[in-house]
Amino acid sequence: AAAAAARPAGGADAPRASGCIVQIAAGGEHTWARRNDGTLWCWGSNTDGQLGDGTSVDKKAPVQVGALCNAVAEVALGEHYTCARVNDGTVWCWGWNVAGQLGDGTTTDRVAPVQVLGLASAAAIEVGVHHSCAIKTDASLWCWGQNISGQVGDGTNVSKSSPVQVVALSNATSDVSLGSLHTCAKRSNGTLWCWGGNSEGQLGIGTTLDTTTPEQVVALTNAAAGVAIGGDHSCASKTDGTVWCWGWNQRGQLGDGTTTSKSAPAQVVGLAGATRIAAGRYQNCAVKTDGTSWCWGWNLYGQLGDGTKVDKPAPVQVSSLGNAVADVSPGREHTCALKTDGTVWCWGRNSDGQIGNGTSVDTVLPVQVKVPCP
C-alpha cells in the first residue's frame, strides 16, 4: 500500500498535537496535512492529479487545496490518488482512477475532487493502492475499486467503480486498513477479519489462498485494538499494547527479527506500549505511550528515520524526534510524523518533493515541513 493511517493501539492514549495541524498522511509519492480549520495542504507528486489542485504539476512545498473549502474531517492517501471525508459525511476522491478507486462510477482520472456515488454518513475512510473503503455511522463497511483478488469483499472478483457493502461483516465494523490486494477490518467485538490476495500469507489465516469474503484472523482472538496493512503484509495492535504482523517479510517488515514470511501473526520484538500503528509499502511505524516513534522494515531511502539506509527486521527509534510524537504515517518510500507541538516532520525518498522541504534531495533523518498556520 501507499500508506495506511495510523491506527489506535492498546494501552493508554497517545500524546496529542496542540498546534493547528491535526492530521498527516503520506501516500505513494505525495503527502497531505489537515489543519484544525478543515483546510488541506499538500505536496509531492501530482502526475495523476493526486494533489487535487486542478493541475498535474508537482509541488515541492505545501500548497492549499481549496476545492473542499474548510470542511474536511479526514484525508486518506493511496498510491496515486487521494480521498477526503467532509463534515457532512460525504466522501470525495481525486487522482488516478484506473480501477474505479475514486468511486464516481467511472475509470476516468480526476485532477479535482469528485463525489463518491451513493455514499452518505461516512464516519471513517481508508484507501489502498487501487481500492478504497468507508465505514458509515451505522458501522457498515463499503468498498470500491480494484477487485481482481476479491479485496472489495463482496464475494466476487469484479472491480467496482462505486461502493458496495461488505455484507459479511454486517453493521459491526470499527476499523479498516487496505493493502495492495487485500483488506482487513476490525469488528466492534475486537475480532479481526481479512480478505483478498493472500499469496504471501498476508491474510493471517494460516494459508496462502485468496478469499473474496472476510475470514477471521483467529490467532488474535478478540483482542485486536488497531490494524494497519502494507503492500503484502499486515499488522495489528492488541489491547495489551503489543503489535503483531504477518505476510511477506523479505525486508523485515514483520518486525520479528527475521526475514521469513509468516501466514499467521508473529509478535514484533521489543515493542510494548504501542498507542498508534501505521504501515507503508514494506515498512511500519508505531508510537508508544511515552511519545517515542519506532519504525522497522524497508529502509532503502532512509524512510525509517534512523540515519541509515539499512533494512531493520526489528524496531528502531526515530530518536531525533524525541518523545513528543503524536502521530506517524509511512508512505511508499517516505515517512512523516506529527509532533505534539503541531509541527510536521518528514524523511526518506524525496524524488518528487514528497518531503515538502522545497527540494528533491532524499534525507535519512527527519526535516521540518513548513505548513502554514494562522
Side-chain angles (χ1 to χ4, degrees):
R7 299 300 183 185
D13 288 339
R16 298 183 181 274
S18 59
C20 81
I21 307 300
V22 293
Q23 184 193 0
I24 48 141
E29 293 144 350
H30 65 304
T31 312
W32 287 79
R34 180 171 61 90
R35 295 194 336 190
N36 56 11
D37 60 4
T39 59
L40 287 178
W41 298 75
C42 61
W43 57 95
S45 176
N46 198 25
T47 55
D48 295 288
Q50 58 263 48
L51 298 189
D53 65 346
T55 78
S56 56
V57 179
D58 295 352
K59 305 294 189 300
K60 295 182 180 179
V63 295
Q64 184 178 357
V65 175
L68 297 176
C69 299
N70 60 346
V72 178
E74 183 183 12
V75 63
L77 275 58
E79 188 80 355
H80 295 284
Y81 74 106
T82 306
C83 292
R85 175 174 60 89
V86 300
N87 292 332
D88 64 2
T90 59
V91 177
W92 300 71
C93 299
W94 56 95
W96 200 25
N97 197 27
V98 65
Q101 61 263 43
L102 301 190
D104 68 339
T106 77
T107 55
T108 303
D109 295 351
R110 308 290 185 180
V111 296
V114 292
Q115 187 173 353
V116 176
L117 295 178
L119 187 65
S121 303
I125 57 172
E126 186 57 277
V127 302
V129 174
H130 298 133
H131 72 297
S132 315
C133 293
I135 302 172
K136 296 179 66 173
T137 53
D138 64 2
S140 61
L141 179 64
W142 298 73
C143 299
W144 61 95
Q146 187 185 69
N147 198 29
I148 59 174
S149 297
Q151 60 263 47
V152 168
D154 68 338
T156 78
N157 294 101
V158 180
S159 296
K160 304 295 189 298
S161 59
S162 60
V164 293
Q165 186 176 358
V166 185
V167 294
L169 295 179
S170 62
N171 289 29
T173 307
S174 60
D175 196 7
V176 65
S177 188
L178 283 61
S180 294
L181 297 171
H182 73 298
T183 308
C184 293
K186 182 176 77 74
R187 299 188 68 187
S188 53
N189 62 1
T191 58
L192 187 69
W193 300 72
C194 297
W195 60 94
N198 195 29
S199 60
E200 305 296 333
Q202 60 263 46
L203 300 187
I205 57 178
T207 76
T208 54
L209 300 176
D210 296 354
T211 175
T212 59
T213 55
E215 292 199 23
Q216 186 178 352
V217 184
V218 294
L220 296 178
T221 61
N222 61 345
V227 58
I229 66 181
D232 297 306
H233 74 284
S234 309
C235 294
S237 57
K238 294 180 67 173
T239 51
D240 62 3
T242 60
V243 177
W244 300 70
C245 298
W246 57 94
W248 195 55
N249 196 28
Q250 186 174 340
R251 299 293 187 175
Q253 59 264 47
L254 301 191
D256 66 343
T258 78
T259 54
T260 303
S261 297
K262 308 287 193 309
S263 61
Q267 187 173 354
V268 176
V269 298
L271 186 65
T275 62
R276 307 283 287 177
I277 59 170
R281 188 178 189 182
Y282 305 132
Q283 73 276 9
N284 311 289
C285 294
V287 179
K288 294 176 61 174
T289 53
D290 61 5
T292 58
S293 180
W294 298 73
C295 299
W296 62 96
W298 192 33
N299 200 27
L300 179 63
Y301 299 99
Q303 60 263 47
L304 299 188
D306 69 337
T308 78
K309 293 185 177 182
V310 180
D311 294 351
K312 301 297 190 300
V316 293
Q317 186 180 351
V318 188
S319 57
S320 64
L321 293 180
N323 61 347
V325 179
D327 206 354
V328 63
S329 179
R332 185 168 69 181
E333 295 155 347
H334 75 293
T335 306
C336 294
L338 176 64
K339 295 186 68 174
T340 54
D341 63 3
T343 57
V344 176
W345 299 74
C346 296
W347 60 96
R349 192 173 189 181
N350 199 26
S351 56
D352 295 280
Q354 57 264 51
I355 298 302
N357 64 348
T359 78
S360 56
V361 179
D362 298 350
T363 173
V364 297
L365 291 171
V367 295
Q368 187 173 353
V369 183
K370 301 296 185 180
V371 181
C373 279

